[in-house]
Amino acid sequence: MLPESPGASATPTRKRKRDCSVVESPSKSSTPRKRKSFSNYSFSESPSKSSTPRKRKSFSNYSFSKSRRQFTTDESLEINTFFERRTSSRKTQSVVEKEKENDLIEAILSHREDGLEVAEIENKGRGVIATKQFVHGEFIVEYVGDLITWKEAKKREVKYASDTNVGCYMYYFNSKAKRFCIDATNESSSFGRLFNHSRRKPNCRTRVVWIGGKSGEQPHLAIIAKRDIKKEEEMLFDYGDRERDAIKENPWLKD
């Protein structure tokens, strides 16, 4: 009897078998998986393949020409008005100012003198009152007279001073580094020369406007509303005369 080898066992030891059972994947399952039912849903073909054409919006009230919408209903008037308002509201400040300047020049060249009337003013003599309302910044009238140099104005002033029956209607001003005077002493139908003075409560002011012509640019003296002016108000502006002798002879220049 051969001796048992140390590495061998008479009775073989049974190794524990690992649980190596394989679970089949769902795709290979013998029992099919329960799928979600789509019985509660309905499917329709895409619009391009639909047998029933889609209902399109009717444009029977409009006409089209070269891909541009042309309105044939009453809404065309409303839309045109809308775009006109949009266009006017988009004007830049420079454009608005340019239009105002053009209107002012046109008013001067056309000798506009609307809404004025000569009246007798207590303690003043003749004056001018408004027969309509004027808004702030509105052109009223031009101060019309002879445009002369400063030197010539001083000569005329001496001449007028020698005659007590002649009033002084001379307006001195500076513009573009030059001195000018508008002499409105000669009687005329212009309202501007009859505007009375007010140093403390003027409702008008003067503005120099240069306008070109055949003889080149010349200054014009426009009278503008300094504030809103009501009907029946007297038109007043500051003459700007601060000379002591003139104030002494004409105390009303202090008012």
Side-chain angles (χ1 to χ4, degrees), residues 167-185:
C168 184
Y169 295 85
M170 307 180 75
Y171 192 98
Y172 295 87
F173 63 97
N174 301 329
S175 183
K176 293 187 177 182
K178 293 182 180 180
R179 290 180 170 184
F180 299 95
C181 176
I182 293 181
D183 183 6
T185 302

Side-chain angles (χ1 to χ4, degrees), residues 227-243:
R227 58 169 173 79
D228 291 347
I229 301 174
K230 298 178 181 179
K231 188 177 179 180
E232 302 297 331
E233 271 194 73
E234 183 186 3
M235 312 304 280
L236 304 168
F237 71 94
D238 187 359
Y239 289 178
D241 196 343
R242 303 292 186 264
E243 294 184 6

Side-chain angles (χ1 to χ4, degrees), residues 108-251:
I108 293 173
L109 294 178
S110 62
H111 307 290
R112 187 188 304 169
E113 293 187 339
D114 300 334
L116 302 173
E117 183 180 74
V118 178
E120 288 292 326
I121 309 298
E122 186 178 359
N123 299 326
K124 293 182 181 180
R126 288 184 302 174
V128 179
I129 61 172
T131 58
K132 70 172 187 178
Q133 293 183 345
F134 290 92
V135 298
H136 176 242
E138 184 178 353
F139 170 83
I140 299 175
V141 72
E142 180 186 3
Y143 192 87
V144 179
D146 298 334
L147 179 65
I148 57 178
T149 63
W150 190 278
K151 186 177 181 179
E152 176 63 24
K154 289 300 180 181
K155 290 181 180 180
R156 292 190 183 187
E157 193 174 301
V158 173
K159 180 181 177 181
Y160 296 152
S162 62
D163 189 351
T164 56
N165 295 323
V166 177
C168 184
Y169 295 85
M170 307 180 75
Y171 192 98
Y172 295 87
F173 63 97
N174 301 329
S175 183
K176 293 187 177 182
K178 293 182 180 180
R179 290 180 170 184
F180 299 95
C181 176
I182 293 181
D183 183 6
T185 302
N186 292 331
E187 192 72 27
S188 70
S189 60
S190 175
F191 287 101
R193 64 187 296 274
L194 297 179
F195 278 37
N196 284 319
H197 162 82
S198 178
R199 181 177 178 179
R200 299 177 181 176
K201 297 180 180 180
N203 53 17
C204 302
R205 63 179 179 85
T206 56
R207 178 187 169 186
V208 179
V209 181
W210 286 80
I211 302 176
K214 293 181 180 180
S215 58
E217 276 195 327
Q218 288 189 335
H220 293 255
L221 200 63
I223 299 178
I224 310 295
K226 190 175 182 179
R227 58 169 173 79
D228 291 347
I229 301 174
K230 298 178 181 179
K231 188 177 179 180
E232 302 297 331
E233 271 194 73
E234 183 186 3
M235 312 304 280
L236 304 168
F237 71 94
D238 187 359
Y239 289 178
D241 196 343
R242 303 292 186 264
E243 294 184 6
R244 292 183 178 180
D245 293 340
I247 294 175
K248 185 178 180 180
E249 294 178 4
N250 303 282

Side-chain angles (χ1 to χ4, degrees), residues 55-115:
K55 186 176 182 180
R56 297 182 180 275
K57 186 177 180 180
S58 173
F59 293 94
S60 58
N61 292 333
Y62 308 101
S63 62
F64 293 84
S65 175
K66 294 183 180 180
S67 300
R68 186 175 180 180
R69 184 174 178 181
Q70 303 292 330
F71 294 92
T72 58
T73 61
D74 293 339
E75 70 175 303
S76 61
L77 178 60
E78 297 178 2
I79 291 180
N80 289 336
T81 305
F82 169 75
F83 281 111
E84 286 176 3
R85 289 198 300 266
R86 289 289 300 273
T87 303
S88 61
S89 63
R90 289 182 179 180
K91 289 181 181 178
T92 62
Q93 186 65 25
S94 60
V95 172
V96 173
E97 292 298 328
K98 184 64 176 177
E99 290 179 351
K100 288 182 179 180
E101 192 70 15
N102 291 337
D103 291 341
L104 179 59
I105 293 174
E106 182 183 355
I108 293 173
L109 294 178
S110 62
H111 307 290
R112 187 188 304 169
E113 293 187 339
D114 300 334

Side-chain angles (χ1 to χ4, degrees), residues 41-60:
Y41 302 94
S42 61
F43 296 88
S44 62
E45 295 181 353
S46 61
S48 60
K49 297 180 181 180
S50 174
S51 58
T52 303
R54 295 175 63 185
K55 186 176 182 180
R56 297 182 180 275
K57 186 177 180 180
S58 173
F59 293 94
S60 58

